[in-house]
Amino acid sequence: MSKLPEQLTFGIIIGNRGFFPSYLVGEARQQAVALFEKLNINTVMLNESQTSLGGVETRQEAKVCAALFRQHRDAIHGIVVLLPNFGDEKAIAEAIRLSGLNVPVLVQAEQDNLDKMGLATRRDSFCGKISLCNNLRQYGIPFTLTTQHVCALSGELFMQDLQRFAQLCRVVNAMRRVRVGAIGARPAGFNTVRYSEKLLEKMGIAVETLDLSEIFSRIKHLRDDDIRVAEKRDILEANADARAIPSEKLQTMAKLFVVISEWVNDNDIDTTAIQCWTSLQENLGINVCSIMSVMSGQLMPSACEVDVMGALSMYALASCSLSPASLADWNNNFGDDRDKCVLFHCGNFASASLDSPTMGTADIIGTTVGKENTCGAVHGRMKSGDLTYFRLSTDDFSGEIKAYVGEGRSVDDPLDTVGCRAVIQVPQLETLLAWICRNGFEHHVAMNHSATAAVLQEAFSNYLGVNCYHHQQRG
C-alpha cells in the first residue's frame, strides 16, 4: 500500500513583539487550534506554560520552540508561522534554524482593521511579514507566501492557502524519500527514457533494480491454488471489466502481480517503472498494463517502458493531490485545433480516471508479438475535467534535474481509437510543445485530474532545487 500520509503534522510558530498588543498572541493560538482541527491537521505548538502566551519573541523562547520541534522532527511535514502582530523576525528565524528541520515554511500575517489602529489594538503585521521574510532569506530558509500579503487567520482565503500548503508539503516530503523500482531493461528503441541515477541520488532519490529473469523464476514457484494469486486476480477483475480475457491469462497476470507486489513491499518501493514489452509478451504471453493500472490507482504509480522519470513524475502528482496519476504519450494532433491534442497509451491508466474501463489486448504491440500475447491492456476514455500535466527529466549535459508543469482540461470531444486515451485542451499548446522539443524532454507526460500546477512548480523550484517551467496562458 502507498506510504503517502493521509494526515499531516505542522509545527506552528506564533510570533510576538512586546510593544505591540500581546493578547493577540493568545487569541491567535485559540483560532489556530480550531482551524487546524477543522482541517484535520495535527500540530506541534508551544503552550502558555512553555513561553509567554505560547509565542516566540526572545532567543530563549526560540530555543524552547526549536527543542519542541526536534522532539517531533520525524512527524513534522511543514512549519506555519503566524504573525498576529509585528513579531520578532530574528527569534522566529532562529527557532526554525535551531530546530534543524528542512521542511516547507508558510508565513501568514494578520490584517489590521482601520477602526483598530490605536496603540492598544494595532498589529503592524503587514510590516512585520516583510522583515521576517528578509531574515528568512538571510538565513537561507525557503518559504511560501499566502495569496494576499495579509489575511485573516479565521478567513476562507487562509484556509485555502493552508490546503495548498498541505499539498506542497506532501510533494516535498514524498520526493525527498522516494524509492523507485526499475523492473527489467529499458526497451532498445526507447533512448528517450534514459536517465541519470547519480543525479537522482544527489537529490535523495534511490533506484532499486530487478531483472525480469528473476520475476519469471519466482512465477514458476507459484501454485495456481495459492491464496495470494486468487486475491490479486480478484483485484484485477475489479479494476476493469475482464470478461473478454481467457482465464489462464488472468491467472498468469495474477501471479506476476504477486511477484511484483512482494518485491515492492520487501524493498520499500514507492513507485515503479516496468519493461512492458516485448519480453513479457514473449515469455508470459500477457501485458502488464492492468497491474500498473491497479498500482497507480493505489497511489503507487507505475510507468511503462522503464521510464523512471515518468514514474517519479506520476508520484509527484499523486502525492500532491492524493489522486491517481497516469502516464501517456503526447501522441496526436486533434484535427486543426492547435490547442487540443490526444494523449494515448496502450492501456495503463488508473481505472478511476476512465469512463467504463475494460480489459483487452494491446493491438498496436500485438502486430509484432501476436495479439493473443497482449492480454491485460486497459481500454477507456479519460473522464472530462481539470487536468494537471507534469514531467521530470535528468539532463546530463547541464548536470541538473529539470521539469515542466501546467494545467488544462480533459474534454469529451469525439475520438475513435483504442487503448487508454484522452483529448486534452491546453492554452497555447503549440508554445508548450515547442518548449518541450527545444529543451529535450521525453515524449511521455504524467497527468491526473487535479489543478495543482502552481503547487508543484513551487515545491520543485523553491524547496527541491529543480528548475520547473510553469506553462501558463500569456496575455
Side-chain angles (χ1 to χ4, degrees):
M1 294 297 293
S2 171
K3 296 192 289 290
L4 294 171
E6 293 185 8
Q7 189 173 38
L8 298 183
T9 298
F10 289 162
I12 312 299
I13 300 176
I14 304 177
N16 190 23
R17 201 160 192 136
F19 49 81
F20 289 93
S22 291
Y23 75 89
L24 296 172
V25 175
E27 188 179 271
R29 192 177 187 284
Q30 292 177 352
Q31 291 178 340
V33 168
L35 175 60
F36 288 105
E37 284 183 356
K38 182 177 180 179
L39 293 176
N40 194 32
I41 295 172
N42 293 325
T43 58
V44 176
M45 181 169 27
L46 293 168
N47 60 43
E48 296 89 338
S49 66
Q50 293 169 301
T51 63
S52 176
L53 297 171
V56 172
E57 181 178 9
T58 67
R59 165 76 176 180
Q60 292 305 312
E61 290 177 339
K63 290 168 65 177
V64 173
C65 180
L68 177 66
F69 285 2
R70 285 196 301 271
Q71 291 174 20
H72 300 274
R73 62 176 300 112
D74 291 337
I76 294 175
H77 300 95
I79 293 173
V80 178
V81 178
L82 307 176
L83 293 177
N85 61 31
F86 190 105
D88 190 285
E89 63 271 25
K90 186 176 179 181
I92 295 170
E94 288 188 341
I96 298 172
R97 172 190 277 178
L98 292 171
S99 74
L101 292 177
N102 182 24
V103 296
V105 176
L106 176 66
V107 181
Q108 180 267 351
E110 190 73 22
Q111 58 192 22
D112 268 307
N113 296 322
L114 290 178
D115 59 350
K116 295 181 179 179
M117 296 294 288
L119 293 179
T121 53
R122 67 183 295 158
R123 298 175 182 273
D124 287 14
S125 308
F126 188 103
C127 185
K129 181 173 181 176
I130 298 172
S131 296
L132 172 58
C133 292
N134 175 280
N135 272 259
L136 292 176
R137 192 169 187 275
Q138 289 187 49
Y139 280 53
I141 299 171
F143 55 88
T144 296
L145 299 173
T146 49
T147 302
Q148 293 181 348
H149 183 66
V150 291
C151 58
L153 177 58
S154 58
E156 179 66 26
L157 192 61
F158 182 57
M159 184 181 297
Q160 294 172 5
D161 285 332
L162 275 175
Q163 290 169 332
R164 283 189 292 270
F165 184 66
Q167 291 180 321
L168 186 152
C169 290
R170 286 185 188 280
V171 177
V172 173
N173 178 264
M175 299 307 295
R176 282 179 173 160
R177 61 183 67 188
V178 61
R179 288 174 57 80
V180 191
I183 301 175
R186 170 182 56 80
F190 280 81
N191 280 357
T192 185
V193 297
R194 288 172 171 174
Y195 69 100
S196 170
E197 282 193 50
K198 292 181 179 179
L199 288 178
L200 291 180
E201 192 65 52
K202 186 177 179 181
M203 189 175 163
I205 296 173
V207 179
E208 192 76 18
T209 60
L210 178 67
D211 192 79
L212 283 181
S213 63
E214 297 181 56
I215 285 184
F216 300 150
S217 176
R218 296 176 194 182
I219 286 175
K220 291 177 182 178
H221 292 91
L222 280 174
R223 292 166 52 97
D224 284 342
D225 60 358
D226 191 313
I227 189 172
R228 296 170 295 173
V229 176
E231 289 172 348
K232 294 300 185 186
R233 180 166 175 163
D234 288 344
I235 292 172
L236 289 169
E237 291 180 309
N239 185 64
D241 185 346
R243 286 175 292 180
I245 305 300
S247 178
E248 66 273 14
K249 298 290 187 179
L250 284 169
Q251 196 74 352
T252 303
M253 274 185 259
K255 290 181 178 181
L256 175 60
F257 198 178
V258 169
V259 172
I260 290 175
S261 296
E262 292 190 348
W263 180 79
V264 164
N265 290 333
D266 290 345
N267 291 277
D268 291 328
I269 302 299
D270 299 291
T271 182
T272 52
I274 302 176
Q275 180 186 344
C276 54
W277 64 287
T278 57
S279 181
L280 286 170
Q281 289 78 12
E282 292 171 351
N283 286 279
L284 298 180
I286 59 169
N287 265 35
V288 71
C289 305
S290 286
I291 298 170
M292 301 167 77
S293 172
V294 170
M295 291 193 294
S296 294
Q298 295 172 341
L299 304 186
M300 300 179 67
S302 191
C304 307
E305 293 142 9
V306 201
D307 185 359
V308 165
M309 300 310 295
L312 288 169
S313 303
M314 296 167 72
Y315 192 64
L317 277 166
S319 66
C320 183
S321 60
L322 297 182
S323 174
S326 299
L327 190 76
D329 291 353
W330 291 107
N331 210 70
N332 310 89
N333 61 289
F334 192 74
D336 294 327
D337 192 330
R338 298 304 169 183
D339 278 348
K340 291 180 182 177
C341 71
V342 178
L343 295 183
F344 169 84
H345 245 188
C346 303
N348 66 330
F349 288 15
S351 63
S353 68
L354 300 174
D355 284 320
S356 304
T358 60
M359 190 191 299
T361 55
D363 297 341
I364 295 176
I365 298 174
T367 61
T368 59
V369 299
K371 182 177 176 180
E372 70 280 2
N373 293 316
T374 65
C375 292
V378 175
H379 293 255
R381 175 70 182 265
M382 192 173 192
K383 297 174 183 176
S384 60
D386 291 338
L387 180 131
T388 299
Y389 54 87
F390 179 64
R391 179 72 203 189
L392 284 161
S393 184
T394 58
D395 189 333
D396 288 22
F397 297 102
S398 63
E400 66 175 358
I401 300 174
K402 58 188 182 181
Y404 68 85
V405 70
E407 292 177 7
R409 285 191 61 80
S410 174
V411 295
D412 57 6
D413 297 48
L415 178 67
D416 183 16
T417 189
V418 296
C420 286
R421 65 272 188 191
V423 177
I424 69 163
Q425 185 170 24
V426 175
Q428 298 180 355
L429 176 61
E430 289 285 344
T431 301
L432 172 64
L433 294 171
W435 189 92
I436 289 171
C437 291
R438 290 195 184 100
N439 287 276
F441 276 87
E442 298 79 357
H443 66 295
H444 288 167
V445 66
M447 44 59 176
N448 74 349
H449 283 113
S450 70
T452 54
V455 173
L456 286 161
Q457 196 278 333
E458 179 164 11
F460 280 89
S461 295
N462 195 22
Y463 292 103
L464 295 170
V466 173
N467 183 16
C468 183
Y469 165 66
H470 186 183
H471 180 70
Q472 296 174 282
Q473 186 169 6
R474 311 296 179 188

